[in-house]
């Protein structure tokens, strides 16, 4: 529309960033006698990290003399890449290490299983590590 001399108009906008990056709003005004002006306002949108870790044991409960698999799933629920994600798991008392598989190699020291880091996990991606243990029972305590 038109503005009378000495008046102003305000326009309010609401923006939402669904992806990382820079978003710029540009406003241009034009008037009589080829008068023009332009203004720009930019917003930088950054991603949000979000890590979901799930551990499922199968079967449950662990029985003495039987094996059980612990499946560890790590999911990037965020909007930005995650880097150098490392899974470290402690095998509970009464259980003994049998084997492991997963997205990266693992190392076992005593009751601790440490998987090498996953270099990058993009939004929506996941990785899985599995540790198999045997039920040995908890010794009686005096």
């Amino acid at each position: 529309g038109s503005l009378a001399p000495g008046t102003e108009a305000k326009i309010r906008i609401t923006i939402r960033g669904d992806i990382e990056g820079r978003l710029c709003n540009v406003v241009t005004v034009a008037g009589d006698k080829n008068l023009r002006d332009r203004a720009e306002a930019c917003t930088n949108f950054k991603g949000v990290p979000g890590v979901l870790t799930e551990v499922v044991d199968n079967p449950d409960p662990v029985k003495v003399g039987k094996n059980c698999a612990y499946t560890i799933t790590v999911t990037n629920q965020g909007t930005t890449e995650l880097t150098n994600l490392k899974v470290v798991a402690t095998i509970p008392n009464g259980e003994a290490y049998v084997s492991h598989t997963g997205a990266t190699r693992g190392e076992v020291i005593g009751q601790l299983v440490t998987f090498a880091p996953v270099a990058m996990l993009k939004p929506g991606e996941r990785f899985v590590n599995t540790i198999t243990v045997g039920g040995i029972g908890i010794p009686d305590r005096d």
Side-chain angles (χ1 to χ4, degrees), residues 22-137:
R22 183 175 174 89
L23 175 68
C24 295
N25 290 298
V26 179
V27 177
T28 304
V29 294
D32 293 339
K33 300 181 184 176
N34 291 326
L35 293 175
R36 295 180 85 69
D37 200 6
R38 173 182 190 276
E40 181 178 281
C42 297
T43 303
N44 291 314
F45 288 92
K46 294 187 176 182
V48 177
V51 179
L52 170 66
T53 305
E54 300 170 282
V55 179
V56 177
D57 54 339
N58 186 25
D60 183 21
V62 179
K63 296 180 180 177
V64 174
K66 301 288 183 182
N67 286 352
C68 171
Y70 288 102
T71 302
I72 305 162
T73 305
V74 178
T75 305
N76 181 354
Q77 296 185 120
T79 59
T80 191
E81 295 172 346
L82 300 172
T83 57
N84 297 318
L85 293 162
K86 185 177 182 182
V87 171
V88 179
T90 303
I91 298 171
N93 289 333
E95 299 174 16
Y97 170 83
V98 173
S99 66
H100 67 275
T101 60
T104 59
R105 63 180 169 72
E107 178 182 29
V108 181
I109 300 175
Q111 295 294 96
L112 202 63
V113 181
T114 303
F115 290 91
V118 170
M120 182 177 62
L121 198 63
K122 293 180 182 178
E125 290 184 339
R126 66 183 59 193
F127 67 89
V128 178
N129 293 319
T130 301
I131 301 169
T132 301
V133 299
I136 58 173

